[in-house]
Amino acid sequence: MHEPEPSAAVPYYEDMAPGTGALPPRAWWPASDARRVGLGGAWRFRLSATAQAEDDSFARPGYDAARWDVLPVPSHWPLQGYGQPAYTNVRYPFPVDPPYVPTENPTGDHLRTFDLPDDWPGGAAVLRFEGVDSCARVWLNGTELGTFKGSRLPVEFEVGELLRPQQNVLAVRVHQWSSGSYLEDQDMWWLPGIFREVTLIERPEGAVTDFFVHCGYDHTTGTGTLRVDCEPGGTVTVPELGLDIPTGEPVIVPVEPWSAELPRLYDAELATEGERIPLRIGFRTVAVEDGVLKVNGRRIAFRGVNRHEFDPDHGRALDQETMRDDLLLMKQHNINAVRTSHYPPHPAFLDLCDELGMWVIDECDLETHGFEEVGWRGNPVADERWTPALLDRAARMVERDKNHPSVVMWSLGNECGTGAGLSAMASWIRERDPARPIHYEGDLSCADVDVYSRMYADHAESELIGRRAEPPLADAESDKRRRNMPFILCEYAHAMGNGPGGLAEYQRIFDTYERCQGGFVWEWIDHGLRRRTADGTAYFAYGGDFGEELHDGNFVCDGLLFPDRTPSPGLVEYKKVIEPVRIAGDVGRGQVTVTNRHDFADLSGLAFSWTYEVAGVAGDSGRFTVPLTGPGQSAVLDLPPMPRSPAEGEAWWTVRAVLAEDTAWAPAGHEVAWAQFPAAQRGPGGLGAADRVHGGAPHAPRLAEGGMVVLGPGTFDAATGALRYLAGAPLEAPRLDVWRAPTDNDRGMPWFPDSQLDRQWRESGLHRMRHRVVRVAVGGDTLTVTTRVAAAAADNALLTVYTWSAAGDRLHLDVAVTPEGEWRLPLPRLGVRMGLCPTLDSVEWYGGGPGEAYPDSRTAARVGRWRASVEELQTPYVRPQENGARPDVRWSELRRADGSGLRIEGAPAYWLTARPWSTEALDAARHTTDLVREETLWVHLDHALHGLGSASCGPLTLPGDRLEAAPAAFSFTFVPLEATWCVPPGVEQ
Ligand code: GAL
C-alpha cells in the first residue's frame, strides 16, 4: 500500500497541484481495434462526512465491502439518495480560504472488482476516467495510481502491470470539495461523483499514444490539406479521396469542405503497428481576417446556445441518447452553434457535433467567479501558484478535443476576472494549436483573445460595437486591437422563466453589422431537478429546495428547454427569429422574395409552398419552384393569382420552407422557415365580414326585481353595475385588471434595483387595486358604469368607464380608461378579467397561435384558427409566473364538452389568457404543484401587455414594448353559444 507522504503539509485534495501519477493528456477516440472494458455499472459505495473519516484499507484486495450500499457508476451520489444537491450561482458554498476546503467534505468511497475478458492479451493498458467531480484518489489491486482534480476533464493511468485475469479491485475515493472546487465555480448544482465513464483500454505494442489531425480548406482552390501527426508513426488512408499516406506528411487534394451547415466528413483510418483507429475527417479553416471571423473564407454567424450538461434525474451524467436529443432539438430549431458553458462536454457530444453539424466554442473547466465577492482577493488566475493547475486544464481540454472539426474556438473559461494565469493558458494553447482562435469574455482589454466577446450587452451597446464605435479603452494600442476584432455575445437573452423578450431586435443587429457575428442565448436547458410531492406528483426543484444554507433560488432554471426537454415558448420564438431563410411578401406586386441567410448552403435542400386562408380556413395551396439561390442571395417568386374563396373575411398567404428530403436531424417536411402576409385588409374593428356573428335589434335596459338591471342577455347589479348573469349563468363580472404574476424578468436582478419592476409594482400597489363605483347610469340603450381604480395610499388612479349595450343575443362592452395623476411605472397589463364556469374547458380562437406570445416575443405566432384545452394553454414555468397569452385574438369561443359556451369578439383584437387558477394563486405559487384548479375559469381579455425583456440578467423591456399608462379604449362582444351555456359547479342539469 502506498502511504501518504508524511511531510506533505497539505493533503492532496487541498494542494494547488492538479494531481499525481497521471499519463500526459491526449486525444479521445471512441473506438479502435484495441480492446476496451467499460467499468460502469453497480459499484459498492460508502459515504463519509469528512475526507479523513475512513482509512484507505478499503482499497486492499480482500476487503469485504458486502455491507456497503450499491451505487450506479456513472452518477452523482446526491441524486442517488446520499446527501443533497446544492445550488449557488456565484458564491462559493464554503468560506473563501483557498486552497482549503471545509472539514465537512462529503467523501464517497467507490469500489468494484472486475475480471478481464478471456482473450485479454496482457501488456500495457490504461485506466481512463472521463469525469469525476471534484477530486479523486485511485487504487488498483491495492496500489495507488494517483490523485486528480479537474471535474470535467479526463485522466488516464498506466495500469498494465497491475492487472490480473480475475478479481481486479478498483478503488476510488472521491471528495466533493477540493482545491479544484475554487476553479469550478460555475453557475450550476454542486454535484460530486464519478459522473462519466470509467474504461480500461488495452495499449498493444505500437499502439497510438496520441495523434493530431490537421485539416484545412482553401476556398480559393477548393482543396483540402491534411496532415496527421501521430506518435508512433503510421499511415492514414482516406478511401474516398484515394489517399494512403504516411503520418506526418501533408497532402493537398480537392475536397468538399466541412461546415456546420454541410457537415461533410470523410471516413479515414489511422494505422500504426499496434492499432487501427477509425477517423472522421472534416476539412475546414477558421481564421480572423479583416476584423471578421471566417470559416473557409466566409463570415459565419452564430445562432447559438450555451449548453450545460443536464438531465433532471441524472444531473451531468448524460447518456448518448440525451446528447443526441439535444443536438437534434437544436438543429430542428435552427440553432447552429454551442458554447460548452462552462466546461468541456462529454467527448461523445463533440463527435455528434462533427456529424450533425454544429459550430462549437469549447470552454475550459474554469470559473473563479466567487472571488468577485471578496474583491477578487486571492483569485487563482492571478496567483502563479495556481498556474500549473490552469495549464493542466487547458492541456487536458485541447489534447482531448483537438481533432474535432466542429470545435472552431477554444475558450479559456468563464468569469475568472483577469490574471497572468489566463495569459499563460492562452500562450500554451496558441503554441499547441495555432489554427483555432481563442475566446475569453472576462477581460475587456481582450489581451489574450482573438474575438471581442461580451455577455448581456444591451441592444444599444451591441449596435455601437457593431458600428465599431464603442467607447475607447484607455490604452490606445489595446483599443485599436479590440476595435478590429469580430464581436460576439457569448451570452445574451437570459431565458429565465417567461422570455426572453427582445430576440428579434438583437437579430436585426446581427444581420446588419458585419462585425456582430451572432450570439449564444443563455441557456439551453433549465436545471430543475425532478422531485415528487407526497402524493407522487412530479415537479422540478430548484435552489433552496434542499435546505441549502446559501442558494440562488430558481436562477438555475433559465433555459430554452424545460428540465424534461420540452421546448419552451422562448425556443419556438428563437427558432423563428434565427430562421436561415427570410421570406417577404409583396402583395401589391404579387411576389415573394426569399433570401438565403445560410453561410454555406444553397436553398436546394428546401421545398417552398404557399397556402391561402380566409378567416382562418385553409383554402388553396401550391408549390413554388425556386431557382438555385446561393448563401446571401435572394430569389423572387411569383404568387399565383388570388384564389377564389367560398368564405368571406380576412385572407392571408402563408409561405413555408420545409426540408425537401430527410436529413440526419429531421424528416422531409420539417418546417425551417415561414412567413405570413395579409392578402386583403381586415374589416373594421379587426373583423372580416364573415368573422362577425350578426346580432339582432338593440335592447333597452330595464329594471328588474331584486335590484337588477336586464340588458339583452345580461343581468346586472343595479347598485354596482356589475354583470351578474349572462344568458342566465352566473359569473364574476369583467372588470379592469392591471396585475400579472410577475415573471422572473419582472423580478429583475438582485444587484440592480432599477431592474426590479416586481418590487416597484408592489410598492405602488398594482397587485391590490381597489375599484370604487362612482356612478351607475341607465340610459336609453346603454348601461354606463363609471369607476375609479386605485391602490391604498396612492392618489393616482385609472378612471374606467364601462358602457354596456345589447343587440339580439349579443352583449357588448366598451371600456374607456383614463389615467389620473402621476404614473411612473409601466402597467403589467391593461384589460378586463372575468370569472367563468370551469367546465368551459375547450378554447378555439382566431388570432395568433398556436403558442404563447408577448409583445416582444411574438414573432413565432401566426394568424389562424387554433384550438386548445385550458390546460394546454398553460405554460408550466418551473417557478409559476405570468404565462399563456395568445395575441391578436379576433374572436374566441370557450366551450363545454356538450358544445355550449361563450364567444368573445374583440375590437380591436385582444390578448387572450384563460386559466383554471387566479393571478393571485399564480403569484403565490413556488412550484407547479402549488397550483390547484379552482371552481372558476379566470379569463383575461387584454387590450395590451407589458413586454418581457430579459432583465433577470440582461436588458429591460425595450421602450417600444413598455406598457405606459395612457388613455385607452377597447371593446368586447359576448355571445352565449347555447342558452344553457353554463351551469355553476355542483348544480345538476
Ligand atoms: C453569466 C454566467 C452564467 C450564468 C448567467 C446567468 O454571468 O456566465 O454562468 O450565471 O450569467 O444565468
Side-chain angles (χ1 to χ4, degrees):
M1 284 293 292
H2 173 101
E3 294 298 329
E5 285 171 54
S7 62
V10 179
Y12 63 94
Y13 51 88
E14 284 179 321
D15 71 15
M16 293 173 182
T20 49
L23 290 165
R26 61 188 186 128
W28 179 81
W29 53 94
S32 81
D33 62 352
R35 258 155 284 212
R36 295 175 176 230
V37 180
L39 296 175
W43 289 48
R44 289 286 172 182
F45 179 71
R46 170 180 70 186
L47 183 65
S48 312
T50 65
Q52 293 175 348
E54 300 284 352
D55 65 19
D56 53 15
S57 56
F58 79 103
R60 275 183 213 139
Y63 180 89
D64 181 6
R67 302 236 298 276
W68 289 22
D69 288 352
V70 172
L71 185 87
V73 170
S75 73
H76 300 282
W77 72 71
L79 300 184
Q80 301 292 331
Y82 302 91
Q84 298 278 24
Y87 165 59
T88 58
N89 169 13
V90 175
R91 295 170 297 176
Y92 290 104
F94 46 77
V96 183
D97 180 22
Y100 305 103
V101 296
T103 301
E104 300 87 354
N105 187 358
T107 292
D109 289 332
H110 298 66
L111 194 63
R112 76 160 280 171
T113 55
F114 62 92
D115 298 341
L116 294 176
D118 292 342
D119 59 351
W120 188 266
V126 298
L127 178 68
R128 184 174 175 99
F129 293 86
E130 300 296 348
V132 180
D133 190 331
S134 80
C135 172
R137 184 175 176 194
V138 189
W139 298 261
L140 182 64
N141 294 330
T143 301
E144 179 171 346
L145 302 177
T147 63
F148 62 96
K149 297 157 200 145
S151 299
R152 272 69 60 171
L153 291 163
V155 72
E156 285 179 332
F157 296 101
E158 172 57 51
V159 293
E161 294 197 341
L162 299 173
L163 287 171
R164 326 168 164 158
Q166 283 176 334
Q167 292 295 303
N168 290 285
V169 178
L170 177 56
V172 187
R173 171 163 286 175
V174 181
H175 306 288
Q176 170 154 21
W177 307 120
S178 67
S179 58
S181 306
Y182 285 97
L183 306 180
E184 295 173 6
D185 189 28
Q186 292 95 342
D187 174 8
M188 59 189 191
W189 295 101
W190 296 94
L191 286 175
I194 305 177
F195 72 100
R196 289 183 187 157
E197 292 85 349
V198 184
T199 319
L200 180 69
I201 310 172
E202 176 207 355
R203 299 285 70 213
E205 194 71 21
V208 172
T209 307
D210 193 13
F211 67 96
F212 196 162
V213 178
H214 301 275
C215 259
Y217 180 74
D218 181 342
H219 64 282
T220 60
T221 59
T223 52
T225 54
L226 170 65
R227 192 189 80 228
V228 180
D229 293 338
C230 183
E231 181 52 45
T235 55
V236 179
T237 48
V238 191
E240 218 184 323
L241 297 173
L243 291 179
D244 185 349
I245 51 169
T247 58
E249 281 192 20
V251 282
I252 300 182
V253 274
V255 294
E256 292 171 36
W258 185 96
S259 69
E261 289 169 9
L262 303 168
R264 178 68 159 96
L265 292 173
Y266 289 87
D267 286 329
E269 188 183 75
L270 169 64
T272 61
E273 204 191 313
E275 191 172 19
R276 288 173 181 279
I277 303 177
L279 306 180
R280 303 181 83 185
I281 291 178
F283 293 89
R284 55 114 192 88
T285 292
V286 188
V288 175
E289 274 170 21
D290 306 324
V292 176
L293 176 69
K294 294 181 182 171
V295 176
N296 301 336
R298 298 187 71 98
R299 170 188 185 267
I300 61 166
F302 293 125
R303 299 188 283 269
V305 286
N306 281 279
R307 175 180 179 271
H308 266 285
E309 293 182 312
F310 186 75
D311 172 274
D313 301 308
H314 304 109
R316 290 185 286 277
L318 294 197
D319 57 22
Q320 301 252 347
E321 284 85 322
T322 308
M323 297 178 211
R324 185 177 276 275
D325 285 351
D326 271 350
L327 282 169
L328 296 185
L329 275 167
M330 288 177 194
K331 296 287 286 188
Q332 288 162 7
H333 288 87
N334 294 330
I335 289 165
N336 72 359
V338 167
R339 170 174 176 238
T340 69
S341 54
H342 301 299
Y343 43 81
H346 189 288
F349 179 77
L350 297 175
D351 269 352
L352 291 168
C353 290
D354 295 344
E355 176 191 319
L356 294 166
M358 197 57 66
W359 307 121
V360 176
I361 299 184
D362 195 359
E363 188 149 280
C364 199
D365 193 358
L366 179 62
E367 174 161 341
T368 63
H369 203 174
F371 283 87
E372 191 175 24
E373 301 286 306
V374 296
W376 293 111
R377 278 188 304 281
N379 184 7
V381 306
D383 176 344
E384 64 182 15
R385 291 173 302 163
W386 290 89
T387 305
L390 304 185
L391 290 174
D392 169 74
R393 286 171 187 245
R396 283 157 72 191
M397 168 178 74
V398 171
E399 299 300 358
R400 193 195 74 165
D401 297 342
K402 58 187 181 271
N403 293 322
H404 292 282
S406 55
V407 175
V408 290
M409 263 195 255
W410 299 116
S411 176
L412 303 178
N414 185 56
E415 295 182 318
C416 295
T418 55
L422 291 166
S423 308
M425 291 171 79
S427 316
W428 186 90
I429 295 175
R430 236 180 258 293
E431 171 85 29
R432 178 65 177 138
D433 181 19
R436 285 182 179 97
I438 293 180
H439 170 270
Y440 174 64
E441 183 271 349
D443 176 9
L444 280 176
S445 78
C446 290
D448 299 314
V449 299
D450 301 292
V451 297
Y452 179 25
S453 172
R454 290 282 302 281
M455 48 175 78
Y456 310 109
D458 65 16
H459 299 80
E461 188 183 10
S462 302
E463 184 143 18
L464 261 191
I465 299 173
R467 301 209 312 266
R468 300 192 194 267
E470 68 272 22
L473 287 169
D475 175 58
E477 231 358 80
S478 309
D479 184 66
K480 188 167 161 221
R481 243 187 100 243
R482 192 181 77 175
R483 201 173 296 278
N484 206 30
M485 284 179 177
F487 175 65
I488 64 167
L489 280 164
C490 69
E491 293 178 27
Y492 80 115
H494 198 245
M496 185 178 181
N498 190 346
L503 281 171
E505 289 77 6
Y506 271 116
Q507 194 60 35
R508 186 189 57 73
I509 294 166
F510 302 155
D511 291 347
T512 306
Y513 300 100
E514 182 186 50
R515 188 187 191 188
C516 295
Q517 297 197 248
F520 297 77
V521 167
W522 186 268
E523 65 176 305
W524 175 236
I525 184 168
D526 286 342
H527 312 204
L529 290 168
R530 199 186 325 258
R531 285 291 178 272
R532 290 185 189 277
T533 57
D535 71 358
T537 316
Y539 68 98
F540 295 109
Y542 48 80
D545 288 338
F546 300 96
E548 300 105 301
E549 172 177 82
L550 276 190
H551 67 84
D552 291 290
N554 67 318
F555 204 66
V556 77
C557 293
D558 49 5
L560 293 171
L561 293 182
F562 290 107
D564 63 1
R565 292 195 150 65
T566 312
S568 73
L571 180 57
V572 178
E573 173 77 0
Y574 194 40
K575 173 184 179 180
K576 174 71 180 128
V577 164
I578 59 178
E579 60 189 11
V581 182
R582 269 284 127 82
I583 302 170
D586 182 339
V587 180
R589 295 203 170 147
Q591 287 180 327
V592 176
T593 304
V594 299
T595 304
N596 180 359
R597 299 174 63 247
H598 288 102
D599 298 323
F600 298 93
D602 62 33
L603 295 184
S604 57
L606 298 175
F608 289 79
S609 62
W610 58 268
T611 54
Y612 184 75
E613 286 180 4
V614 177
V617 181
D620 287 1
S621 59
R623 291 180 167 275
F624 291 109
T625 309
V626 178
L628 191 70
T629 311
Q633 296 178 340
S634 297
V636 178
L637 315 175
D638 288 326
L639 283 169
M642 186 111 81
R644 287 164 61 83
S645 163
E648 265 188 85
E650 261 186 78
W652 287 81
W653 295 100
T654 303
V655 175
R656 303 168 67 227
V658 302
L659 289 179
E661 313 263 336
D662 291 351
T663 64
W665 47 271
H670 164 84
E671 187 176 86
V672 172
W674 61 274
Q676 259 189 336
F677 34 94
Q681 286 312 304
R682 289 201 222 162
L687 291 171
D691 305 322
R692 203 181 265 283
V693 176
H694 289 285
H699 296 279
R702 62 179 168 80
L703 283 171
E705 61 188 40
M708 296 287 171
V709 174
V710 174
L711 176 59
T715 305
F716 297 80
D717 183 317
T720 64
L723 177 66
R724 299 288 297 277
Y725 300 91
L726 184 52
L731 76 171
E732 291 276 341
R735 68 174 196 177
L736 194 80
D737 188 18
V738 295
W739 184 237
R740 73 182 181 196
T743 63
D744 293 316
N745 289 315
D746 293 336
R747 287 180 156 193
M749 296 164 260
W751 57 91
F752 181 25
D754 280 358
S755 69
Q756 297 161 9
L757 257 187
D758 174 17
R759 178 185 50 78
Q760 300 174 44
W761 279 341
R762 285 183 210 270
E763 280 166 10
S764 58
L766 289 184
H767 62 313
R768 49 177 168 79
M769 300 295 269
R770 296 294 161 140
H771 300 243
R772 175 167 70 83
V773 179
V774 178
R775 190 168 51 247
V776 178
V778 179
D781 52 12
T782 57
L783 171 72
T784 304
V785 185
T786 304
T787 62
R788 187 176 185 278
V789 183
D795 69 352
N796 57 347
L798 297 167
L799 212 60
T800 307
V801 181
Y802 307 85
T803 307
W804 293 94
S805 57
D809 61 352
R810 302 162 58 80
L811 182 65
H812 188 76
L813 168 64
D814 287 303
V815 185
V817 182
T818 314
E820 260 187 11
E822 196 180 13
W823 285 87
R824 292 210 202 104
L825 299 173
L827 298 174
R829 63 174 358 112
L830 182 69
V832 297
R833 153 166 120 164
M834 60 200 289
L836 300 174
C837 167
T839 54
L840 294 166
D841 189 51
S842 115
V843 185
E844 182 175 3
W845 73 100
Y846 177 46
E852 159 187 307
Y854 283 80
D856 50 357
S857 178
R858 55 174 301 164
T859 318
R862 50 185 114 188
V863 176
R865 271 171 90 143
W866 310 104
R867 271 173 205 278
S869 66
V870 168
E871 190 182 335
E872 287 162 349
L873 290 177
Q874 314 309 310
T875 306
Y877 292 110
V878 171
R879 184 189 73 79
Q881 54 197 275
E882 165 65 27
N883 72 85
R886 301 302 192 272
D888 279 331
V889 175
R890 283 77 159 157
W891 57 258
S892 61
E893 292 179 354
L894 301 123
R895 292 182 190 264
R896 309 166 43 154
D898 67 3
S900 63
L902 179 66
R903 176 180 167 102
I904 307 169
E905 298 168 3
Y910 58 95
W911 300 85
L912 173 70
T913 309
R915 346 176 197 270
W917 37 72
S918 65
T919 302
E920 291 73 16
L922 191 61
D923 195 0
R926 291 191 63 243
H927 294 101
T928 46
T929 40
D930 297 338
L931 291 166
V932 185
R933 280 183 170 271
E934 295 175 13
E935 291 299 327
T936 307
L937 173 71
W938 292 102
V939 178
H940 295 261
L941 310 172
D942 287 306
H943 176 58
L945 299 175
H946 182 63
L948 300 171
S950 60
S952 51
C953 190
L956 315 186
T957 301
L958 288 169
D961 297 312
R962 282 168 63 92
L963 173 51
E964 306 294 357
F970 46 95
S971 57
F972 305 103
T973 303
F974 302 95
V975 191
L977 293 172
E978 297 280 335
T980 59
W981 68 277
C982 186
V983 175
V987 175
E988 292 296 323
Q989 269 195 295

mmCIF file of all heavy atoms in Angstrom, residues 89 187 342 367 369 414-415 455-456 491 494 522 555 558 953, ligand 1:
data_model
loop_
_atom_site.group_PDB
_atom_site.id
_atom_site.type_symbol
_atom_site.label_atom_id
_atom_site.label_comp_id
_atom_site.label_asym_id
_atom_site.label_seq_id
_atom_site.Cartn_x
_atom_site.Cartn_y
_atom_site.Cartn_z
ATOM 1 N N ASN A 89 -25.033 30.312 -7.541
ATOM 2 C CA ASN A 89 -24.601 30.886 -8.821
ATOM 3 C C ASN A 89 -23.145 31.333 -8.693
ATOM 4 O O ASN A 89 -22.235 30.671 -9.175
ATOM 5 C CB ASN A 89 -25.551 32.045 -9.177
ATOM 6 C CG ASN A 89 -25.054 32.891 -10.334
ATOM 7 O OD1 ASN A 89 -24.140 32.510 -11.044
ATOM 8 N ND2 ASN A 89 -25.653 34.044 -10.522
ATOM 9 N N ASP A 187 -22.119 28.409 -12.509
ATOM 10 C CA ASP A 187 -23.499 28.613 -12.056
ATOM 11 C C ASP A 187 -24.294 27.330 -12.317
ATOM 12 O O ASP A 187 -24.906 27.177 -13.374
ATOM 13 C CB ASP A 187 -24.065 29.809 -12.849
ATOM 14 C CG ASP A 187 -25.536 30.048 -12.603
ATOM 15 O OD1 ASP A 187 -26.116 29.400 -11.713
ATOM 16 O OD2 ASP A 187 -26.107 30.891 -13.327
ATOM 17 N N HIS A 342 -19.858 25.591 -18.825
ATOM 18 C CA HIS A 342 -18.571 26.281 -18.813
ATOM 19 C C HIS A 342 -17.486 25.240 -18.556
ATOM 20 O O HIS A 342 -16.696 25.362 -17.631
ATOM 21 C CB HIS A 342 -18.511 27.348 -17.717
ATOM 22 C CG HIS A 342 -19.551 28.418 -17.826
ATOM 23 N ND1 HIS A 342 -19.659 29.274 -18.925
ATOM 24 C CD2 HIS A 342 -20.552 28.787 -16.995
ATOM 25 C CE1 HIS A 342 -20.655 30.121 -18.741
ATOM 26 N NE2 HIS A 342 -21.232 29.851 -17.599
ATOM 27 N N GLU A 367 -13.795 28.434 -13.704
ATOM 28 C CA GLU A 367 -14.502 29.657 -13.308
ATOM 29 C C GLU A 367 -14.173 29.945 -11.850
ATOM 30 O O GLU A 367 -14.297 29.076 -10.991
ATOM 31 C CB GLU A 367 -16.028 29.527 -13.511
ATOM 32 C CG GLU A 367 -16.764 30.732 -12.955
ATOM 33 C CD GLU A 367 -18.186 30.940 -13.482
ATOM 34 O OE1 GLU A 367 -18.538 30.390 -14.540
ATOM 35 O OE2 GLU A 367 -18.941 31.663 -12.813
ATOM 36 N N HIS A 369 -15.509 32.822 -10.277
ATOM 37 C CA HIS A 369 -16.383 33.977 -10.101
ATOM 38 C C HIS A 369 -16.592 34.372 -8.636
ATOM 39 O O HIS A 369 -16.755 35.551 -8.311
ATOM 40 C CB HIS A 369 -17.741 33.650 -10.747
ATOM 41 C CG HIS A 369 -18.541 34.831 -11.126
ATOM 42 N ND1 HIS A 369 -19.719 34.723 -11.819
ATOM 43 C CD2 HIS A 369 -18.362 36.147 -10.905
ATOM 44 C CE1 HIS A 369 -20.218 35.929 -12.018
ATOM 45 N NE2 HIS A 369 -19.427 36.813 -11.472
ATOM 46 N N ASN A 414 -14.705 30.781 -17.897
ATOM 47 C CA ASN A 414 -15.755 31.781 -17.737
ATOM 48 C C ASN A 414 -15.554 32.548 -16.450
ATOM 49 O O ASN A 414 -15.209 31.970 -15.425
ATOM 50 C CB ASN A 414 -17.124 31.085 -17.686
ATOM 51 C CG ASN A 414 -18.277 32.066 -17.644
ATOM 52 O OD1 ASN A 414 -18.381 32.920 -18.529
ATOM 53 N ND2 ASN A 414 -19.132 31.958 -16.639
ATOM 54 N N GLU A 415 -15.744 33.835 -16.499
ATOM 55 C CA GLU A 415 -15.840 34.678 -15.308
ATOM 56 C C GLU A 415 -14.776 34.373 -14.258
ATOM 57 O O GLU A 415 -15.079 33.935 -13.151
ATOM 58 C CB GLU A 415 -17.250 34.585 -14.718
ATOM 59 C CG GLU A 415 -18.252 35.156 -15.698
ATOM 60 C CD GLU A 415 -19.695 35.165 -15.201
ATOM 61 O OE1 GLU A 415 -20.111 34.173 -14.604
ATOM 62 O OE2 GLU A 415 -20.396 36.154 -15.444
ATOM 63 N N MET A 455 -21.061 39.530 -22.502
ATOM 64 C CA MET A 455 -22.331 38.914 -22.124
ATOM 65 C C MET A 455 -23.333 39.991 -21.713
ATOM 66 O O MET A 455 -22.994 40.955 -21.046
ATOM 67 C CB MET A 455 -22.173 37.857 -21.038
ATOM 68 C CG MET A 455 -21.351 38.215 -19.825
ATOM 69 S SD MET A 455 -21.388 36.897 -18.569
ATOM 70 C CE MET A 455 -20.234 35.722 -19.233
ATOM 71 N N TYR A 456 -24.570 39.830 -22.198
ATOM 72 C CA TYR A 456 -25.699 40.684 -21.813
ATOM 73 C C TYR A 456 -25.542 42.154 -22.175
ATOM 74 O O TYR A 456 -26.250 43.003 -21.618
ATOM 75 C CB TYR A 456 -26.021 40.522 -20.310
ATOM 76 C CG TYR A 456 -26.136 39.063 -19.950
ATOM 77 C CD1 TYR A 456 -25.176 38.413 -19.176
ATOM 78 C CD2 TYR A 456 -27.189 38.313 -20.457
ATOM 79 C CE1 TYR A 456 -25.265 37.060 -18.905
ATOM 80 C CE2 TYR A 456 -27.277 36.954 -20.186
ATOM 81 C CZ TYR A 456 -26.313 36.345 -19.414
ATOM 82 O OH TYR A 456 -26.403 35.015 -19.151
ATOM 83 N N GLU A 491 -22.998 35.329 -24.232
ATOM 84 C CA GLU A 491 -24.269 35.091 -23.531
ATOM 85 C C GLU A 491 -25.163 36.288 -23.808
ATOM 86 O O GLU A 491 -24.713 37.435 -23.725
ATOM 87 C CB GLU A 491 -24.063 34.963 -22.016
ATOM 88 C CG GLU A 491 -23.283 33.729 -21.624
ATOM 89 C CD GLU A 491 -23.030 33.611 -20.125
ATOM 90 O OE1 GLU A 491 -23.820 34.134 -19.319
ATOM 91 O OE2 GLU A 491 -22.020 32.979 -19.773
ATOM 92 N N HIS A 494 -31.253 36.247 -21.639
ATOM 93 C CA HIS A 494 -31.369 35.334 -20.498
ATOM 94 C C HIS A 494 -32.751 34.671 -20.478
ATOM 95 O O HIS A 494 -33.764 35.326 -20.236
ATOM 96 C CB HIS A 494 -31.161 36.163 -19.228
ATOM 97 C CG HIS A 494 -30.828 35.353 -18.036
ATOM 98 N ND1 HIS A 494 -31.654 35.256 -16.950
ATOM 99 C CD2 HIS A 494 -29.740 34.609 -17.768
ATOM 100 C CE1 HIS A 494 -31.079 34.493 -16.039
ATOM 101 N NE2 HIS A 494 -29.922 34.086 -16.513
ATOM 102 N N TRP A 522 -28.412 32.527 -23.320
ATOM 103 C CA TRP A 522 -28.228 31.880 -22.028
ATOM 104 C C TRP A 522 -29.580 31.379 -21.567
ATOM 105 O O TRP A 522 -30.443 32.201 -21.301
ATOM 106 C CB TRP A 522 -27.627 32.816 -20.970
ATOM 107 C CG TRP A 522 -27.355 31.997 -19.753
ATOM 108 C CD1 TRP A 522 -28.190 31.791 -18.681
ATOM 109 C CD2 TRP A 522 -26.204 31.182 -19.525
ATOM 110 N NE1 TRP A 522 -27.641 30.901 -17.815
ATOM 111 C CE2 TRP A 522 -26.416 30.505 -18.301
ATOM 112 C CE3 TRP A 522 -25.026 30.925 -20.244
ATOM 113 C CZ2 TRP A 522 -25.488 29.605 -17.783
ATOM 114 C CZ3 TRP A 522 -24.109 30.040 -19.708
ATOM 115 C CH2 TRP A 522 -24.347 29.399 -18.482
ATOM 116 N N PHE A 555 -32.701 30.768 -10.158
ATOM 117 C CA PHE A 555 -31.781 31.300 -11.166
ATOM 118 C C PHE A 555 -31.120 30.157 -11.950
ATOM 119 O O PHE A 555 -30.527 30.373 -13.002
ATOM 120 C CB PHE A 555 -30.723 32.161 -10.464
ATOM 121 C CG PHE A 555 -30.087 33.205 -11.342
ATOM 122 C CD1 PHE A 555 -30.827 34.273 -11.836
ATOM 123 C CD2 PHE A 555 -28.738 33.139 -11.674
ATOM 124 C CE1 PHE A 555 -30.234 35.241 -12.642
ATOM 125 C CE2 PHE A 555 -28.136 34.103 -12.474
ATOM 126 C CZ PHE A 555 -28.890 35.154 -12.958
ATOM 127 N N ASP A 558 -33.064 28.673 -16.265
ATOM 128 C CA ASP A 558 -33.057 29.803 -17.190
ATOM 129 C C ASP A 558 -32.754 29.334 -18.608
ATOM 130 O O ASP A 558 -31.963 29.920 -19.330
ATOM 131 C CB ASP A 558 -32.049 30.874 -16.730
ATOM 132 C CG ASP A 558 -30.693 30.289 -16.392
ATOM 133 O OD1 ASP A 558 -30.506 29.082 -16.610
ATOM 134 O OD2 ASP A 558 -29.820 31.035 -15.929
ATOM 135 N N CYS A 953 -31.310 38.940 -16.141
ATOM 136 C CA CYS A 953 -29.855 39.069 -16.256
ATOM 137 C C CYS A 953 -29.562 39.728 -17.604
ATOM 138 O O CYS A 953 -28.847 39.183 -18.419
ATOM 139 C CB CYS A 953 -29.189 37.700 -16.173
ATOM 140 S SG CYS A 953 -27.403 37.777 -16.015
HETATM 141 C C1 GAL B 1 -23.393 34.683 -16.518
HETATM 142 C C2 GAL B 1 -22.665 33.397 -16.286
HETATM 143 C C3 GAL B 1 -23.542 32.186 -16.453
HETATM 144 C C4 GAL B 1 -24.849 32.389 -15.762
HETATM 145 C C5 GAL B 1 -25.515 33.585 -16.299
HETATM 146 C C6 GAL B 1 -26.802 33.906 -15.614
HETATM 147 O O1 GAL B 1 -22.797 35.693 -15.781
HETATM 148 O O2 GAL B 1 -21.571 33.282 -17.143
HETATM 149 O O3 GAL B 1 -22.857 31.080 -15.948
HETATM 150 O O4 GAL B 1 -24.629 32.543 -14.407
HETATM 151 O O5 GAL B 1 -24.696 34.713 -16.085
HETATM 152 O O6 GAL B 1 -27.692 32.887 -15.579
#
